[in-house]
Amino acid sequence: MATDNRKPYQTDRPSPCPAQDWDPRSPQVQQNQIRAYDQMREECPVAHSDYLGWSLFRHQDVLQVLGDHETFSNLVSRHPSVPNGMDPPEHTLYRAMIEPYFAPERIDAFEPVFRQIARELVDYLGTNPSCDVIRDFAEPYAVRIQCGFLGWPQSLHAPLLRWIYRNRAATHARDTDAMATVALEFDGHIRSQLELRERAGNAASDDLSTCLLRQTVKGRRLKHSEIVSILRNWTVGELGTIAACVGIILHFLAGRLDTQTLLRRDRNQIPQVIDEILRLHGPLISNRRVATRQVKVGGRTLGAGERITVMWAAANRDGEIFAEADQFRPERDQSHNLLYGAGIHVCPGAQLARMQLNVVLDELLSGLGPFALHPGADPVRAIYPASGFSSLFLAPA
């Protein structure tokens, strides 16, 4: 993982001008991100690179960052991000405003919608067993459930799927012009939905997007730019992460017929099994922060203004926190699992995501017989910043 023939880590250099400890984009890392991050956690748990700044791989170091928002700021982007890219007191205000949208009763009302979507896609999978389950199942599921949650029409399903592919290609190529273009394209989809509802006035559909148009904060209606930012955060993260989750779960179960059998007999174990699978292989690799002052993390000194990348996928496999961390133990205590984050920025949609994943796995187990990895098509792993798999084929077991 090192950028030359030196050891991949050094701890005796002064800040604030460290050399690279590792290259996050190297072929060795991208070949198997999870394995590479495990190695970094053991060899160089606080590591610098030009690409990611300071990367933190240990659970305790990640928790230090998540628990101290005054020292580790979320103001990491040039573009407004509501509320993810905010610090208190602004974050507190907007977070309180959005949390009711993820209230249990609101989420529960969508379960029949998500279940019908999952059932239709499982039926497709059953009649097209040779399809790529990422492109033809996981990604369509993510798009359709998100449109259902937001009240967006079926006519957006295909454009959003095309957007996913273009966004992924631009991100992997680090093509900033293309990334800006696809970002504007996505914002255009959101604005068109807002404009349709504004033109409809009182006749607008009573859905989440309409509710945001009528939402107030500080005694005023939300600006269009604020609504676009909120919906962008919810949707972009949801599309990529839910699709990655579904692929990771299917890949794992394809190699564990015993676990498939267990879950077919006892569906009550689905939530715990999913959390443990996604602890082992995180669907979200990392998140960003910036240091507001000089601070020590894991024995290294980080300067004010330096970029920080918390590596969820490594922290959740830390043997100091999880006994036999690389082993599948669904009975283990998940209270330290950082799948949905921690601290003031913990994911507000965690319960929604859990329900969406529970539903799709339940329907898969009902609609498909035992399955395994296709012997003639190796899974293709996703590369940073994505996780999971970019291609996955299954076959009857």
Side-chain angles (χ1 to χ4, degrees):
M1 283 175 285
T3 55
D4 54 27
N5 292 325
R6 300 173 302 168
K7 292 175 69 176
Y9 59 95
Q10 297 177 5
T11 58
D12 57 352
R13 295 191 308 270
S15 289
C17 298
Q20 288 210 104
D21 294 308
W22 70 310
D23 181 1
R25 293 167 292 174
S26 71
Q28 299 97 313
V29 171
Q30 295 306 319
Q31 183 178 7
N32 187 328
Q33 292 187 75
I34 302 302
R35 182 177 61 198
Y37 302 150
D38 280 348
Q39 182 180 343
M40 292 301 300
R41 187 185 60 249
E42 301 306 315
E43 296 179 351
C44 186
V46 180
H48 188 269
S49 68
D50 293 339
Y51 183 46
L52 296 180
W54 291 99
S55 295
L56 312 183
F57 297 90
R58 288 191 304 202
H59 196 280
Q60 68 179 38
D61 296 332
V62 169
L63 277 187
Q64 177 184 344
V65 170
L66 301 182
D68 184 359
H69 57 265
E70 293 183 352
T71 303
F72 305 98
S73 171
N74 259 49
L75 296 173
V76 296
S77 175
R78 294 172 298 166
H79 308 289
S81 179
V82 182
N84 303 39
M86 292 177 163
D87 292 330
E90 290 81 11
H91 172 268
T92 307
L93 179 68
Y94 283 90
R95 175 75 183 225
M97 182 269 291
I98 70 166
E99 283 187 341
Y101 289 93
F102 299 97
E105 60 274 13
R106 183 187 286 268
I107 290 173
D108 290 345
F110 283 98
E111 180 176 354
V113 177
F114 299 155
R115 192 168 291 279
Q116 180 60 34
I117 292 169
R119 191 168 295 148
E120 291 173 4
L121 288 168
V122 169
D123 288 345
Y124 175 83
L125 195 58
T127 56
N128 296 272
S130 63
C131 72
D132 183 340
V133 296
I134 302 300
R135 196 175 186 97
D136 298 320
F137 182 83
E139 290 171 344
Y141 180 67
V143 165
R144 291 178 63 179
I145 60 174
Q146 186 65 1
C147 286
F149 182 60
L150 297 178
W152 293 358
Q154 292 185 11
S155 59
L156 272 181
H157 293 173
L160 286 178
L161 282 169
R162 289 194 296 270
W163 179 86
I164 289 175
Y165 309 142
R166 285 196 290 269
N167 184 57
R168 180 184 300 142
T171 301
H172 289 170
R174 300 186 71 201
D175 185 335
T176 54
D177 290 338
M179 290 167 67
T181 299
V182 295
L184 287 174
E185 176 189 345
F186 191 85
D187 287 0
H189 289 311
I190 297 175
R191 292 183 186 279
S192 67
Q193 291 303 308
L194 299 181
E195 290 164 2
L196 285 171
R197 286 159 177 77
E198 285 183 328
R199 287 198 296 269
N202 293 333
S205 54
D206 187 18
D207 55 37
L208 188 147
S209 298
T210 301
C211 289
L212 283 172
L213 276 171
R214 298 167 180 168
Q215 178 71 54
T216 60
V217 64
K218 298 182 182 178
R220 61 166 177 80
R221 290 281 182 92
L222 287 175
K223 302 173 185 175
H224 264 212
S225 59
E226 292 171 324
I227 299 174
V228 168
S229 179
I230 291 168
L231 291 175
R232 185 195 308 117
N233 282 332
W234 289 354
T235 306
V236 173
E238 181 84 352
L239 296 182
T241 306
I242 290 295
C245 286
V246 173
I248 290 167
I249 292 166
L250 285 172
H251 177 267
F252 181 88
L253 292 178
R256 295 290 297 260
L257 291 177
D258 58 335
T259 306
Q260 290 186 44
T261 300
L262 170 69
L263 294 178
R264 292 179 198 280
R265 291 175 179 169
D266 183 3
R267 304 300 173 89
N268 290 327
Q269 297 198 46
I270 287 177
Q272 188 82 356
V273 165
I274 288 176
D275 277 2
E276 176 67 354
I277 292 173
L278 299 179
R279 181 195 66 79
L280 284 167
H281 189 157
L284 185 64
I285 293 294
S286 65
N287 199 231
R288 297 184 297 164
R289 298 291 193 277
V290 62
T292 61
R293 61 178 179 85
Q294 183 172 291
V295 61
K296 279 202 169 186
V297 181
R300 302 195 72 170
T301 301
L302 285 59
E306 293 200 83
R307 295 176 299 129
I308 299 165
T309 306
V310 295
M311 306 297 288
W312 309 112
N316 261 348
R317 293 169 55 87
D318 190 336
E320 294 295 318
I321 305 298
F322 303 98
E324 297 180 297
D326 62 345
Q327 299 299 308
F328 175 64
R329 288 177 46 184
E331 73 282 358
R332 77 166 77 241
D333 177 11
Q334 297 289 337
S335 61
H336 298 294
N337 191 336
L338 296 175
L339 176 59
Y340 297 101
I344 65 171
H345 293 283
V346 66
C347 178
Q351 184 176 341
L352 174 65
R354 284 193 167 102
M355 185 263 279
Q356 292 167 338
L357 295 174
N358 293 346
V359 162
V360 74
L361 182 52
D362 188 32
E363 292 299 325
L364 276 161
L365 294 169
S366 295
L368 293 183
F371 56 88
L373 294 176
H374 195 292
D378 291 336
V380 179
R381 294 181 182 273
I383 62 175
Y384 189 89
S387 182
F389 301 88
S390 57
S391 181
L392 180 66
F393 292 84
L394 303 178

